[in-house]
Each structure stands twice: as structure tokens, then as C-alpha cells.
Amino acid sequence: MVSLSSGILLIADPFLKDQHFARTVVLLCEHQESRGSFGFVLNRVFDQALNELVPEVLAGNIRVFYGGPVQIDTIHFIHQQPELIKGGFEISNGVYWGGEFDQVVSLINTGQLDLNKIKFFIGYSGWSSGQLENELNEKSWILSENNVPLIFEENEQTIWQQALKNLGANFAIMANFPIDPLLN
């Protein structure tokens, strides 16, 4: 059984109505019972590219994802390139959170960074102590082991459905539930 810890995926229940989290998958980066939890929504694209938010980035069309509703004036990133990006924290299975942002900008501008192995977020998702446990008890989330290919999936529109399908037949059925069953 999967328990709350760094690196797990929180898959929104198909009927979760919260506007920030409906049909999302969140990568949990840290969980401490006494301090709370934080992570990033993996499948909501933000309406501006990285170079629009950070003028020092010369490359265009680098997507930024809406990490969550907390501190949406901050940029974060996860990656799989610790040999190039110093200062990151491994959250699981070769996936790192953060590092030296100036170094990332330089690596992007010189074409040295594999952009398929890094993902940028504006804001983050956060829960106070006990809040995420309460949401689990309310059946708002389904827990899943980390799935690195899913975390860095190019097509964000398939991430939620694929995360459910990866859990087996019982959950795969949920991937096709309508958003509002009353409209079905």
C-alpha cells in the first residue's frame, strides 16, 4: 500500500470539484506530518512560457505548468539532470526538485539542458499539518507510486487518465468517468 511520502503521486478523484485540483496529478515533493506537505500539479499548463516570465531565458516556447495556488509569484522546477544542475534535492527515483536557477538559465541559453528532463512550475500546492491526511480520508485523492515517464510526459492532457490506468483495471474505469455524471 502506498503511503504519504516524497515522490508519490496524488491523483485527484474523478469527482473532486476543487477548481485548482479537479482531474489533476500532483507530484508530492515533501511530506512531514508535523509541518505539512507540498508538491506540483503536473498536468495544467500555465498561459505564459518561461521566457515571458524570466526575460533572461533566451529560448522561447518552454512551457510552464501551474504548480498550484500557493505563491503564484514564484517559479520552481523538477528535473533529472543532477550532473548539470547543482543544489537540487532528490525526491525519488532520480527526480530532483530545485537547484541553482541561474545555472539552469545559463544551461538553457547555451543549449546544454535536455528540456525533456526538466519541468517548470509557477506556484505550488501546499497543505498544512494534517490537511492532506484529512483530504485522503474524504477520498479526494488516490495515491500512486512515482512514475517518472508520467511526470515528464509531453502531453499533459493524458497524464490524469494514464495515472489512473497505471493503477489497474479497477481504476482504469474511473479514467473515463464524465466530469459531471448528471450531464451524461
Side-chain angles (χ1 to χ4, degrees), residues 3 8 11 17 22 25 28 43 61 64 70 81 87 95 99 110 114 122 126 133 164 166 173-174 178:
S3 60
I8 63 125
I11 306 167
K17 299 282 190 236
V25 176
L28 197 60
N43 59 326
N61 298 324
V64 175
V70 182
Q81 300 176 86
V95 177
T110 57
D114 183 345
I122 189 154
E133 289 86 350
L164 285 171
N166 289 347
I173 293 168
M174 297 169 84

Side-chain angles (χ1 to χ4, degrees), residues 141-160:
W141 300 102
I142 300 163
L143 299 181
S144 173
E145 294 289 339
N146 183 326
N147 181 318
V148 175
L150 194 63
I151 292 170
F152 293 96
E153 170 62 42
E154 279 281 316
N155 185 356
E156 77 284 345
Q157 295 178 5
T158 64
I159 292 174
W160 181 79

Side-chain angles (χ1 to χ4, degrees), residues 110-127:
T110 57
Q112 297 177 61
L113 205 57
D114 183 345
L115 296 177
N116 294 315
K117 293 184 177 184
I118 191 165
K119 202 166 193 175
F120 296 92
F121 303 92
I122 189 154
Y124 66 91
S125 301
W127 295 265

